[in-house]
Amino acid sequence: MRKIIHIDMDAFFASVEQRDHPELRGKAIAVGYDGPRGVVSTASYEARKYGVHSAMPISRAKRLCPNLIIVAGNHHHYKEVSQQVHHIFQEYTDLIEPISIDEAFLDVTHNKKNMPLALDIALEIKSRIKKELHLTASAGISYCKFLAKIASDYRKPDGICTIHPDKAIEFIDKLRIENFWGIGKKTAERMHHMGIFTGKDLRKVSKNHLVEVFGKSGYIFYDFARGIDNRPVNTNYIRKSVGCEHTFLEDICIKSTILIELYHTVLELIERLKKNNFEGNTLTLKIKYSDFTQITRSYTQSKVLNSKDTILPIAKKLLQQISYSANHPIRLMGLSVTNNLDYTDITHRLKDDYYELELEFKKWPDEH
């Protein structure tokens, strides 16, 4: 039986700021861009008591918590601290799969210290993070990544939770469908319309019907409902997409202005493709309107998308499929290039989503 640990740093960015700046300790803080279009990247637990959370507009966060302190992020520093955390991981196992800057899976089935219990390893790692880095982390332990990920969220902050194989189905049965890894708001709403509210409800739906409704993801949902997740802890991550997006200081609806913004977005995308030495053949245009509704349009071709000549004409064609007006202006525009994805790998999708947030963290804050 595999022994998988998922480590998730608690309110990572905010906790680092409170650690490094004693005057912020015990106070409600939010890391993010303090501007008209700013968004909360991470909120301290003191701020969360007021309902402040990540992806919330700064303006709303301030209304909920009048004493909220906004701290500009220092992503380079957070990355350095993340590397220090990973140095601790590496003393226990080489099978480490980062999910984002503040969380990772560890396969400790065969570990460097020959410790028989994954629980003891997780406790020791948590203790060292607290003692050496003065930060807290939560840990989830189980026999697969799906359950380890969920377990780490179960008793945050500074918590630890083990889901034993004998208790897995019982745990899943009571789990709200919104809390399943890989099920977002829209997918949850579709499941609610199907009468699916818990893991037990999900397990009653046939595999064929789930695939019919959700495509290849239906296979994943079918397995997750049964506690099945055979994906290994993958140390060799291959990037699946590269993109960029801009939130405008003011909503736009004039065609010439939109075309200019599209042109600049294409140029930035090309630079990022070169920087990451990335090749893909699917271009996706993302538009978010002033009311926060969002649409995407994609086009796939056989030729690699890596230059202005290959990307700009397709971007313009995708834009022609988008409607906008003075009453329905555009708030955000984004472009990304993607390889042909195997959508059975939710882990890679989550990593790519985080990568885009990482790239946009300071320069282009938005409601991710």
Side-chain angles (χ1 to χ4, degrees):
M1 184 68 67
R2 292 192 301 164
K3 301 172 186 177
I4 308 298
I5 299 174
H6 179 260
I7 300 289
D8 192 358
M9 301 299 294
D10 298 323
F12 183 48
F13 298 168
S15 295
V16 171
E17 295 295 341
Q18 289 179 318
R19 181 198 69 175
D20 295 346
H21 303 282
E23 69 275 14
L24 298 177
R25 294 173 190 171
K27 296 184 179 180
I29 74 168
V31 177
Y33 170 67
D34 191 6
R37 297 276 172 122
V39 63
V40 175
S41 175
T42 308
S44 68
Y45 284 97
E46 294 86 355
R48 296 182 189 193
K49 294 177 182 178
Y50 292 86
V52 178
H53 57 77
S54 59
M56 174 181 286
I58 291 288
S59 56
R60 186 181 175 207
K62 288 180 176 179
R63 291 195 297 269
L64 290 173
C65 182
N67 297 322
L68 186 67
I69 300 172
I70 310 300
V71 180
N74 183 348
H75 194 78
H76 177 73
H77 180 49
Y78 304 148
K79 188 173 181 179
E80 290 179 339
V81 178
S82 176
Q83 290 171 345
Q84 293 170 356
V85 174
H86 278 254
H87 288 156
I88 294 176
F89 295 164
Q90 289 162 5
E91 294 188 27
Y92 297 85
T93 179
D94 291 326
L95 296 178
I96 303 168
E97 179 179 353
I99 299 301
S100 67
I101 194 172
D102 61 350
E103 59 179 316
F105 287 109
L106 287 69
D107 188 331
V108 297
T109 310
H110 305 287
N111 59 84
K112 294 180 179 180
K113 298 199 174 185
N114 295 318
M115 298 172 67
L117 298 179
L119 175 61
D120 289 340
I121 296 175
L123 286 169
E124 192 169 303
I125 289 174
K126 278 170 47 62
S127 177
R128 289 190 57 186
I129 289 173
K130 184 176 291 187
K131 182 179 179 179
E132 298 173 24
L133 303 179
H134 307 289
L135 298 168
T136 64
S138 293
I141 306 157
S142 196
Y143 61 90
C144 68
K145 294 202 293 187
F146 165 60
L147 289 173
K149 174 76 166 89
I150 292 173
S152 66
D153 291 331
Y154 206 61
R155 292 178 180 150
K156 290 178 74 71
D158 198 17
I160 191 164
C161 177
T162 300
I163 301 177
H164 192 273
D166 294 341
K167 300 290 185 180
I169 295 300
E170 179 182 344
F171 182 90
I172 293 169
D173 278 354
K174 299 176 182 178
L175 190 66
R176 293 176 57 194
I177 207 68
E178 295 89 340
N179 295 331
F180 269 62
W181 187 25
I183 294 183
K185 182 178 179 181
K186 291 184 178 180
T187 300
E189 289 175 354
R190 293 179 70 184
M191 288 192 173
H192 289 167
H193 288 305
M194 297 168 62
I196 303 171
F197 296 92
T198 65
K200 186 175 183 179
D201 296 330
L202 179 60
R203 199 165 60 254
K204 294 177 181 178
V205 183
S206 71
K207 181 187 294 185
N208 288 341
H209 189 45
L210 288 173
V211 173
E212 180 182 353
V213 176
F214 300 106
K216 290 183 178 181
S217 294
Y219 293 110
I220 301 169
F221 301 151
Y222 181 86
D223 284 346
F224 280 3
R226 289 157 177 78
I228 300 170
D229 180 8
N230 296 320
R231 293 171 302 161
V233 171
N234 184 9
T235 60
N236 297 315
Y237 168 59
I238 300 175
R239 172 160 300 285
K240 300 287 184 173
S241 69
V242 168
C244 57
E245 54 187 42
H246 297 174
T247 299
F248 308 120
L249 292 177
E250 295 182 359
D251 300 332
I252 59 176
C253 62
I254 299 173
K255 183 177 180 179
S256 58
T257 303
I258 294 172
L259 285 171
I260 290 171
E261 294 295 345
L262 181 70
Y263 179 80
H264 289 302
T265 305
V266 168
L267 295 182
E268 183 173 350
L269 175 61
I270 293 167
E271 288 301 313
R272 292 187 176 180
L273 290 170
K274 292 178 180 178
K275 180 180 178 180
N276 289 279
N277 194 27
F278 182 85
E279 293 185 346
N281 59 350
T282 296
L283 182 69
T284 298
L285 172 66
K286 172 184 174 182
I287 296 291
K288 184 179 289 186
Y289 294 103
S290 58
D291 60 1
F292 293 96
T293 57
Q294 179 178 302
I295 61 173
T296 60
R297 295 291 183 268
S298 299
Y299 181 81
T300 300
Q301 64 174 24
S302 58
K303 183 184 294 186
V304 171
L305 299 169
N306 57 8
S307 66
K308 185 174 72 174
D309 291 340
T310 56
I311 295 176
L312 185 58
I314 298 175
K316 288 181 177 179
K317 289 181 180 179
L318 293 176
L319 184 62
Q320 291 174 0
Q321 302 175 27
I322 303 298
S323 62
Y324 50 86
S325 66
N327 295 325
H328 197 41
I330 295 173
R331 173 188 176 87
L332 173 149
M333 177 186 295
L335 283 172
S336 62
V337 170
T338 311
N339 274 328
N340 292 326
L341 289 175
D342 178 2
Y343 285 97
T344 60
D345 194 335
I346 286 181
T347 302
H348 283 161
R349 293 166 62 189
L350 292 176
K351 281 184 179 178
D352 291 330
D353 289 345
Y354 182 82
Y355 178 70
E356 300 311 326
L357 173 58
E358 178 182 326
L359 288 175
E360 304 304 327
F361 175 72
K362 290 180 65 177
K363 187 175 181 182
W364 303 110
D366 187 53
E367 295 74 12
H368 288 272

